[in-house]
Amino acid sequence: MSRCRTILAAGLAAIAFAGQAQSLFREESFRGLTADNKAFRPGDVLTVQVFENSSATSSAETGTRRSNHLQADLAHGSNKAAQAALSVAGDFDGGGRTQRASRLLTTVTVTVQEVLPQGQLRIAGTQAVTVNEEAQRVTLEGIVRPVDISDGNVVQSTRIAQARITYVGEGDLSDRNRRAWWRRFLDAVGL
């Protein structure tokens, strides 16, 4: 009888343990053997090819002319007692033109931060490079549709929604391209 109890206890323990066992299959991380190797979950990496060209031109011409003339005579009979004249004239011609063009070509590898409810991927990443003691940093953030990711796990920057691409350089060359503080001050006060 004790042997039956032992077998029965072992059987109940096996049934209880089987109820707690976990499967090796995890739906959230499953990737089929023939599936593309594309980023699709948080933590996956994605290569972004940044091809950004921008240009802007603005032009304005202004011309104003003003002329005021005021004359007063004070006479007593046929004699002029006093005479006064005031004349004001002003001319202004102004114009300006602003033109700017920029181009950024680089490749940045970013990380999937979040999978949004519609299946889009929120991505973010930074790349830092130092060339001739000049630190260059590219920061990229945005939202990517999985359909826009190529089979090689690459997406073009023109396919990123809400893209924020920042390119910053730090060093002697970048410092020389900035206007001096005293010039910025004089511009602010209009001199």
Side-chain angles (χ1 to χ4, degrees):
M1 183 81 160
S2 73
R3 187 163 212 249
C4 280
R5 282 187 182 166
T6 306
I7 293 174
L8 183 59
L12 290 175
I15 291 172
F17 180 71
Q20 295 177 347
Q22 295 181 355
S23 173
L24 296 176
F25 173 76
R26 290 202 175 122
E27 186 177 346
E28 69 273 2
S29 64
F30 175 74
R31 171 89 45 152
L33 293 175
T34 59
D36 293 330
N37 193 19
K38 295 181 181 180
F40 75 100
R41 64 180 173 236
D44 285 354
V45 295
L46 174 66
T47 301
V48 179
Q49 290 180 338
V50 180
F51 298 112
E52 295 294 329
N53 287 313
S54 64
S55 63
T57 302
S58 177
S59 180
E61 296 292 330
T62 304
T64 60
R65 307 265 186 280
R66 172 184 255 175
S67 179
N68 296 323
H69 183 73
L70 177 65
Q71 183 173 351
D73 291 326
L74 180 59
H76 181 38
S78 62
N79 297 334
K80 284 188 178 179
Q83 183 177 12
L86 175 66
S87 180
V88 177
D91 289 338
F92 173 77
D93 284 325
R97 181 178 172 96
T98 302
Q99 187 171 358
R100 181 173 184 96
S102 63
R103 184 174 184 183
L104 177 60
L105 303 173
T106 189
T107 301
V108 180
T109 300
V110 298
T111 306
V112 175
Q113 303 295 310
E114 176 184 11
V115 178
L116 300 174
Q118 297 82 16
Q120 294 128 336
L121 309 174
R122 189 173 60 79
I123 60 169
T126 300
Q127 178 186 51
V129 178
T130 302
V131 178
N132 294 333
E133 298 181 19
E134 292 277 325
Q136 310 292 321
R137 183 177 316 128
V138 179
T139 303
L140 190 141
E141 296 178 12
I143 297 174
V144 175
R145 297 182 311 171
V147 71
D148 291 329
I149 301 172
S150 74
D151 293 338
N153 199 35
V154 177
V155 67
Q156 302 292 323
S157 63
T158 55
R159 295 295 200 177
I160 299 175
Q162 300 175 11
R164 283 183 280 170
I165 303 169
T166 306
Y167 180 74
V168 178
E170 298 171 357
D172 289 340
L173 185 59
S174 299
D175 291 343
R176 300 257 188 251
N177 284 329
R178 289 190 189 103
R179 297 179 74 180
W181 67 268
W182 57 270
R183 182 71 251 176
R184 290 192 311 260
F185 174 75
L186 291 176
D187 288 344
V189 296
L191 298 176

